[in-house]
Amino acid sequence: MIIKCDCGADPCGRWKQPPAVIFHDRHAKGAGASERGFVYSCRACLSPKREEEIQARERTLGWPKGELR
C-alpha cells in the first residue's frame, strides 16, 4: 500500500520531492467522514491543531522546530 498526501499533485506537471514522513491527522477537515477517522497529511498540509501536537513532541525530544518531516 502506498500512503501519500494529496498535495503531491501538481497541475503544471512539475515534479515535487515527496515528503519523508506522513502523519495521521485526526483534526483535518473531512477526517471524521473518513472510515479510518483520520487523514494522511505531510507536514506542510497538517491542520493547525495537529501541527501544535507535532511541535510539542519535537520540544519534548529536544529536536529543532521542523526537524520531524
Side-chain angles (χ1 to χ4, degrees), residues 3-69:
I3 299 172
K4 64 179 187 170
C5 180
D6 291 334
C7 74
D10 185 358
C12 294
R14 293 182 304 264
W15 183 80
K16 178 180 174 185
Q17 183 169 351
V21 179
I22 299 292
F23 302 91
H24 292 150
D25 193 351
R26 298 176 300 281
H27 311 293
K29 189 174 185 179
S34 162
E35 69 267 0
R36 296 180 307 264
F38 59 84
V39 173
Y40 292 112
S41 299
C42 68
R43 184 75 185 255
C45 297
L46 287 175
S47 63
K49 188 168 184 175
R50 183 66 171 138
E51 177 66 27
E52 290 174 13
E53 292 173 355
I54 298 294
Q55 288 177 5
R57 184 180 305 165
E58 287 174 335
R59 282 191 301 272
T60 302
L61 296 172
W63 293 354
K65 184 178 179 182
E67 181 73 18
L68 191 58
R69 288 201 171 269

